[in-house]
């Protein structure tokens, strides 16, 4: 059976047996789910299950155990047998929900169930009426069919949208089938990796992905990159020896999905597919339940709210109509009408479209969203746990600082450097640059001359690459310099020597001396030196100079940089004449009493966009926590340079150092920052972790294992935060799953991580997350607008039914007409609101509190339903009565006429003028009424659309024409209404009639009224921002006038105090002088100051005398604030 | 070929549209018409069904009473007091030129004109007692509507019975007893449609008449 799966594991072939097994496993898992705390149990299971003993066995034992032969491999027949037993060597993709289930979910989710009930009622009443031979019975049949169609079509639409976004993911992550070199039937064969079975002998070489868990039996300089499994970033060497009891630590096992970086190896396959270590972790990840996304919760809340209103009004009026002696059947039909009027049929589709539009926009900004709802989750994120390497940093070593001539120079570490600005005139630099250039084995891959230097691919390790690029930038063609200074001998770097040495001929034809250059660990290099070069001259290395070296070394090391020392020696010509044979084994040349030249320090520098992005996060109230496997010092240095730890804040250790007291005596509350070591984390209880997460605003977790990430995420979630987590390794996948939004790295990320994540960051850049947050927040705001817009007209659709029942007037609007509003005229405008630009700087606002800031709150519902909604209903009824009056029925004559009006026996119904109407004429008039009602709702919805563009600001400030899509919406709305009335006006079933043109304008004054009313409301809100308004950063304050927006100024004994949340910039709009001379101190809450550095205060003028801005803890922030 | 077909259907669509915009036959603009005349009968029974038994007076007395009541305003005395005598063959227009023309006076329609169906005789039973029932075909009042284009209008009642003078009152003098008669009365006038599919009462009225005799 061939099954195509649209997920990251591409196409796989399954035996039926295997499928059954998966199902059984799933069942077991469900069972565990029901028991609860299955995850912890599974994690422990995982550790226990690692009772591999293959690393202890010798070759012949292995051969015996797996029934294989190292020389011949398995026979094809045996391999086929095992394959049939174990299944293919591939990870079982996480069980995808069957498409039909997904489809059915769309069919019954949300409001669909209500509409199904409506349809069912329609069909029941059709059946009854058919039995009673009522003429209009078929109307109910059609209505039922229309309702069912609406549900099915919106369901298909939502399903299609969902499937489309899944497909993007699938196409993105489709893998090329991997091949493996296998020994079978004593022949080497290339086989697809999924055909591997236990006992196969495979050969791997540098660059290959390890095709299964392999016990190595012969190796040559083999190194593997285990980072996706263990998080260790350095390649690990592999050999055949059993080096550690723990199978994860021993060197003779290579794991599935890790990569062989260099060398070759042969090994026996010991585990395949889901039984590999990676496979077990992947299943652990799938055990971590997916929580509902915040927007899904919001939408559910909204659906419950609206459905609650619909059902309660429906039932209430059902009871009223029954007690008013309506027939039960009629009452049921009213109930259907009320439900249809109350349910915003098109809204969920609109929300889906809006989300997918945002998803598209985010994809353009390198955030690929797998799950549409995750779009908004990112917006409500309050904590981001970010990786360091590659996400915050450029993921490449770069020379950051130099020390020569007793001075530290800074180098440019940006991504696109073309020159280096530091002073290069000193002869010491010339000497240093020569060592850097020559004592380096790294080389550019050929054929990249046209690429910028920073983008070229280099063969060599990270530090050497950094040095090569550094010298290429400054000196130009390094390869030709090396050619001119021919290398005659070399000792490569090794961990015992901790230095690298090479001997060169010089490029000066008159200088026949050899040049010995050396680099390595600074202290080791210094040991070998007796002199030091200062301004090109060798000077003896006395203790004073040695101390200067120490200071510089400590300083550079303290910045988390990897420091290298450089020294050289011109070998005397008489001892080492031309053609001297250097022997690196016997070291027939001096390696001491060298001349120290300088230090170079390297770091994986932060991406240039990151500091800005971090500060944006801060002003957006998002806590950024760094979680890295790196050394605490490096981690802290990067955290400082990108602003995760701000310049002014201190850790407990910093305070201790400053005050010169032991760490224990420091008041922990004073430290805003914390650097937590993975080792400490290991021994911490969850309460202690909670305290750290609560107590410090700036946190760095260093030396953490990917498993600890999960603990950190859970800790953050205990604080009630919406947590975003970045990750790339396989081991990150549980954390990615656990997080509210898991973000996998598109470039560095493993498939398992991408699979577990909700979002994939295509450029691995932290800054992209921030743009994602911005989009997420915007869409939440805009969805609010969309919902407010959509809900408003529900009242205008509902009132007709209520008044029809109570006042017995001819039916003002038909159920089908309502559907034409909900699914016709209103759709494009409500999608258009998704294109609305942000009103104020949404990144200066705190993340929404998922418990308080709901998508639909009482305020929104009341304003939409009871204010604008009622106005709209009045407008529509005025149109209705106008039409009837003009046709001969004055409003007073319409009251209580329902029974006669709808009677088929009365063909001479008399109007106010004594004209007499046949039933059909009355029905036609009723349809004209429907059309007029419809048209006036449409006209008023135009005004509703315009007012919904903003929630606080005046429309004129937002600009009427900035969002062109709104106009598309307005024109579509009117266009559809025109087509329905005049184009389809003679299609009886639709109940539209070609309306007299003047009726279009009856509602226009009401539309204008709605607009004016809302502008006044917005003005009042701006003038008197009460508690109800969401707190904004006071990026704009007015001083001296009453308008304190959006922050507030409060007088207190010391001066004016600024109230509001965090921000990095405080700007005063008005420069009007403060008349009160007493108040010349502006107190800024510390909250404002949590951004890196000082907040910029501008625009503030004091009348006279001293002026200062003070933080409320007393620290003077900014003395001169005059502009 | 296919092209031709498509063109023709396209032409048809255009023609249909043009007809929809302005139908000269019915003088409808955008599917609307100023008005059309509705017809109704009296006595107006449930389901337009006039059924009675000649020998059982209680079965038809209700019809007689209804007709009496209906025709009260048509009494000659009332008509003389309220309405004006109009010259025949001309529309009686009462436009509000500059001053409101109030009260407006309609043309006199005297009950006595209905002859045997006036119910003025000593029996006043509109022929029900004798099995020759009268049914009044009433034309709806529609303001600003000029039916018949200045030509005389008559009403034709077609059924499986003979019928008398096609005037407003229709008497069925010798309808077969104990049989359902499906009667349809149509207005017969220039420019009046009586074949509207949707409005079964536009310019026509259909009812069932059954006279039972023991």
């Amino acid at each position: 059976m061939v099954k195509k799966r649209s997920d990251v594991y591409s196409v796989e072939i399954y035996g039926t047996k295997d499928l059954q097994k998966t199902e059984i496993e799933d069942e077991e898992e469900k069972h565990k789910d029901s028991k609860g705390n299955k995850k912890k149990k599974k994690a422990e299971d995982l550790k226990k299950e690692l009772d591999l003993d293959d690393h202890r066995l010798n070759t012949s034992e292995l051969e015996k155990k797996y029934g294989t032969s190292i020389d011949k491999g398995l026979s094809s027949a045996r391999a086929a047998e095992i394959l049939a037993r174990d299944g293919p060597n591939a990870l079982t993709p996480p069980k995808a929900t069957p498409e039909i289930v997904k489809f059915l979910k769309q069919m019954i989710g949300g409001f669909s169930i209500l509409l199904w009930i409506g349809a069912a009622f329609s069909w029941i009443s059709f059946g009854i009426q058919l039995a009673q031979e009522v003429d209009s019975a078929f109307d109910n049949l059609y209505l039922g069919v229309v309702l069912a169609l609406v549900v099915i079509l919106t369901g298909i639409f939502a399903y299609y949208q969902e499937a489309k976004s899944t497909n993007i993911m699938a196409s993105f992550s489709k893998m090329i089938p991997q091949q493996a070199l296998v020994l079978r039937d004593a022949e080497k064969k290339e086989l697809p990796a999924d055909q591997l079975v236990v006992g196969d002998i495979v050969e791997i070489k540098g660059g290959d992905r390890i095709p299964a868990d392999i016990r190595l039996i012969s190796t040559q300089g083999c190194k593997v990159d285990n980072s996706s499994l263990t998080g260790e970033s350095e390649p690990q060497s592999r050999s055949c020896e059993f080096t550690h009891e723990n199978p994860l630590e021993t060197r003779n096992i290579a794991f599935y999905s890790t990569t062989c970086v260099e060398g070759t190896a042969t090994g026996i396959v010991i585990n395949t597919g889901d039984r590999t270590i990676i496979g077990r972790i992947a299943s652990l990840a799938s055990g971590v339940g997916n929580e509902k996304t915040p927007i899904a919760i919001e939408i559910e809340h909204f659906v419950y709210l609206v459905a609650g209103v619909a059902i309660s009004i429906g039932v209430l009026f059902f009871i009223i109509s029954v007690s008013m002696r309506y027939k039960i059947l009629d009452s049921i039909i009213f109930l259907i009408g009320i439900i249809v009027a109350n349910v915003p049929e098109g809204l969920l589709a609109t929300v889906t479209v809006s989300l997918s539009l945002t998803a598209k926009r985010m994809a353009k900004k390198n955030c690929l969203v797998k799950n549409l709802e995750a779009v908004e989750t990112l917006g409500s994120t309050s904590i981001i746990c970010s990786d360091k390497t590659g996400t915050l940093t450029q993921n490449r070593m770069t020379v950051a600082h130099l020390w020569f001539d007793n001075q530290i120079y800074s180098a440019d570490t940006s991504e696109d450097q073309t020159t280096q600005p530091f002073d290069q005139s000193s002869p010491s630099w010339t000497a240093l640059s020569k060592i850097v250039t020559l004592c380096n084995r790294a080389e550019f891959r050929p054929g990249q001359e046209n690429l910028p230097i920073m983008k070229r691919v280099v063969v060599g390790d990270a530090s050497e690459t950094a040095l090569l690029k550094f010298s290429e930038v400054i000196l130009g063609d390094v390869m030709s310099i090396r050619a001119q200074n021919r290398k005659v001998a070399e000792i490569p770097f090794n961990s015992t020597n901790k230095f690298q040495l090479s001997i060169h001929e010089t490029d000066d034809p008159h200088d026949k001396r050899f040049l010995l250059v050396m680099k390595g660990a600074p202290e080791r290099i210094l040991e070998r030196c007796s002199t030091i070069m200062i301004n090109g001259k060798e000077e003896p290395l006395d203790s004073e100079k040695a101390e200067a070296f120490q200071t510089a070394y400590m300083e550079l090391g303290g910045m988390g940089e990897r420091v290298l020392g450089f020294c050289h020696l011109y070998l005397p010509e008489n001892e080492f004449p031309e053609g001297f044979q250097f022997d690196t084994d016997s070291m027939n040349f001096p390696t001491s009493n060298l001349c120290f030249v300088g230090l170079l320090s390297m770091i994986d520098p932060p991406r240039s966009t990151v500091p800005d992005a971090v500060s944006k996060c801060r002003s957006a109230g998002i806590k950024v926590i760094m979680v890295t496997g790196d050394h605490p010092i490096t981690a802290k240095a990067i955290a400082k340079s990108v602003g995760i730890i701000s310049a002014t804040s201190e850790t407990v250790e910093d305070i201790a150092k400053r005050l010169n007291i032991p760490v224990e005596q420091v008041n922990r509350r004073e430290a805003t920052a914390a650097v937590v070591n993975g080792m400490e984390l290991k021994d911490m209880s969850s309460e202690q972790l909670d305290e750290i997460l609560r107590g410090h605003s700036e946190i760095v977790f260093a030396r953490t294992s990917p498993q600890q990430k999960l603990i950190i995420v859970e800790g953050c979630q205990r604080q009630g935060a919406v947590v975003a987590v970045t990750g790339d390794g396989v081991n990150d996948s549980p954390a990615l799953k656990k997080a509210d939004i898991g973000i996998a790295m598109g470039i560095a990320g493993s498939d398992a991580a991408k699979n577990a994540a909700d979002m994939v960051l295509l450029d691995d850049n932290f800054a992209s997350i921030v743009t994602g947050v911005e989009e997420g927040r915007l869409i939440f705001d805009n969805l609010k607008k969309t919902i407010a817009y959509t809900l408003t007209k529900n009242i205008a659709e509902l009132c007709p039914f209520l008044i029809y029942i109570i006042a017995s007037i001819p039916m003002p609007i038909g159920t089908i007409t309502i559907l034409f509003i909900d699914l016709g005229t209103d759709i494009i405008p409500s999608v258009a609101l998704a294109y609305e630009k942000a009103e104020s700087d949404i990144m200066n606002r705190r993340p929404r509190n998922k418990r308080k800031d709901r998508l639909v709150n009482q305020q929104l519902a009341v304003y939409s339903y009871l204010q604008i909604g009622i106005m709209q209903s009045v407008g529509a009824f005025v149109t209705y009565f106008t039409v009837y009056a003009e046709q001969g029925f004055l409003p007073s004559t319409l009251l209580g006429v329902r029974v006669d009006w709808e009677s088929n026996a009365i063909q001479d119904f008399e109007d106010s003028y004594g004209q007499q109407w046949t039933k059909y004429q009355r029905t036609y008039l009723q349809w004209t009424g429907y059309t007029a009602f419809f048209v006036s709702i449409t006209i008023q919805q135009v005004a509703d659309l315009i007012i919904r563009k903003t929630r606080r600001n005046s429309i004129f400030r937002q600009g009427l024409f900035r969002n062109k899509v709104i106009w598309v919406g307005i024109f579509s709305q009117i266009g559809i209404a025109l087509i329905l009335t005049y184009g389809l006006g003679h299609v009886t079933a639709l109940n539209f009639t070609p309306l007299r043109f003047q009726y279009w304008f009856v509602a226009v004054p009401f539309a204008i009224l709605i607009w004016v009313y809302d502008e006044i409301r917005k003005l009042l809100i701006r003038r008197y921002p009460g508690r109800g308004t969401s707190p904004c950063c006071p990026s704009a304050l007015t001083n001296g006038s009453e308008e304190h927006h959006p922050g507030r100024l409060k007088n207190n004994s010391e001066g004016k105090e600024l109230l509001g949340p965090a921000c990095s910039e405080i700007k005063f709009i008005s420069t009007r002088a403060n008349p009160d001379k007493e108040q010349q101190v502006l107190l800024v809450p510390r909250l404002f100051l949590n951004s890196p550095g000082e907040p910029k205060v501008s625009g503030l003028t004091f009348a006279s005398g001293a002026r200062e801005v003070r933080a409320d803890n007393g620290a003077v922030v900014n003395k001169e604030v005059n502009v | 070929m296919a092209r031709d077909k498509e063109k023709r259907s396209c032409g048809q669509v255009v023609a249909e549209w043009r007809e929809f915009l302005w139908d000269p036959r019915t003088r409808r603009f955008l599917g609307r018409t100023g008005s059309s005349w509705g017809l109704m009968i009296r006595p107006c029974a449930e389901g337009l069904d006039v059924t009675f038994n000649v020998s059982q007076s209680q079965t038809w007395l209700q019809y007689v009473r209804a007709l009496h009541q209906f025709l009260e305003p048509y009494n000659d005395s009332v008509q003389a007091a309220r309405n004006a005598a109009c010259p025949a063959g001309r529309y009686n227009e009462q436009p509000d030129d500059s001053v409101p023309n109030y009260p407006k006076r309609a043309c006199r329609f005297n009950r006595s004109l209905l002859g045997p169906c006036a119910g003025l005789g000593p029996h006043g039973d509109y022929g029900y007692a004798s099995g020759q029932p009268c049914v009044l075909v009433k034309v709806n009042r529609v303001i600003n509507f000029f039916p018949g284009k200045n030509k005389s209008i008559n009403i034709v009642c077609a059924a499986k019975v003979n019928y008398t003078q096609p005037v407003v009152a229709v008497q069925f003098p010798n309808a077969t007893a104990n049989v359902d008669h499906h009667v349809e009365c149509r207005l017969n006038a220039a420019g009046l449609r009586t074949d509207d599919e949707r409005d079964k009462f536009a310019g026509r009225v259909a009812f069932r008449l059954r006279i039972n005799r023991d």
Side-chain angles (χ1 to χ4, degrees), chain A residues 442-611:
Chain A
E443 284 176 23
F444 288 112
R445 284 244 173 95
Q448 306 184 80
E449 286 72 24
N450 298 328
L451 283 176
I453 293 164
M454 285 299 150
K455 295 232 163 71
R456 291 185 203 166
V457 180
V458 175
V459 185
D461 74 18
S463 318
E464 295 229 305
T465 304
L467 295 172
L468 173 65
K469 286 185 174 170
F470 182 67
S471 41
E472 181 88 9
V473 165
I474 300 177
L475 305 172
D477 193 351
V478 167
M479 300 319 283
S480 73
I481 297 175
R482 288 196 198 158
Q484 286 160 23
N485 297 272
R486 201 173 65 86
K487 194 191 291 178
V488 293
E490 179 175 47
I491 301 175
F493 184 88
N494 70 49
S495 46
T496 31
N497 287 343
K498 297 220 168 178
F499 69 78
Q500 178 181 352
L501 173 156
S502 57
I503 301 170
H504 300 259
E505 293 169 354
T506 62
D507 49 2
D508 182 353
H510 307 295
D511 189 351
K512 291 297 175 203
R513 293 177 300 172
F514 288 102
L515 173 64
L516 182 149
V517 288
M518 188 196 257
K519 74 166 186 232
E523 64 278 12
R524 293 296 181 86
I525 296 294
L526 196 75
E527 280 168 14
R528 295 171 183 277
C529 294
S530 56
T531 58
I532 183 163
M533 185 176 279
I534 304 286
N535 297 325
K537 294 192 188 71
E538 278 188 40
E539 292 181 15
L541 186 64
D542 51 26
S543 60
E544 187 193 330
K545 295 209 171 66
E547 202 163 295
F549 158 87
Q550 270 309 331
T551 319
Y553 181 26
M554 290 307 287
E555 189 173 344
L556 296 178
M559 289 192 278
E561 298 178 2
R562 186 187 291 177
V563 192
L564 286 177
F566 295 82
C567 64
H568 72 187
L569 182 70
Y570 282 94
L571 300 176
E573 204 178 347
N574 49 0
E575 278 178 58
F576 301 92
E578 210 176 338
F580 181 86
Q581 284 302 309
F582 292 96
D583 182 358
T584 53
D585 291 329
S586 63
M587 303 251 242
N588 57 352
F589 47 86
T591 55
S592 57
N593 290 328
L594 311 177
C595 170
F596 193 88
V597 182
L599 293 171
L600 248 72
S601 66
M602 284 162 289
I603 199 163
D604 178 10
R607 289 168 178 267
S608 51
T609 46
V610 169

Side-chain angles (χ1 to χ4, degrees), chain A residues 753-770:
Chain A
K754 285 177 196 165
N755 203 27
D758 305 294
M759 203 178 97
V760 177
L761 217 53
L762 291 180
D763 58 355
D764 291 12
N765 189 347
F766 181 81
S768 304
I769 302 178
V770 180

Side-chain angles (χ1 to χ4, degrees), chain A residues 291-303:
Chain A
E291 315 229 328
K292 262 189 196 152
T293 58
I295 192 76
I297 294 169
E298 288 308 315
I299 287 173
E300 203 167 84
H301 172 244
F302 162 72
V303 167

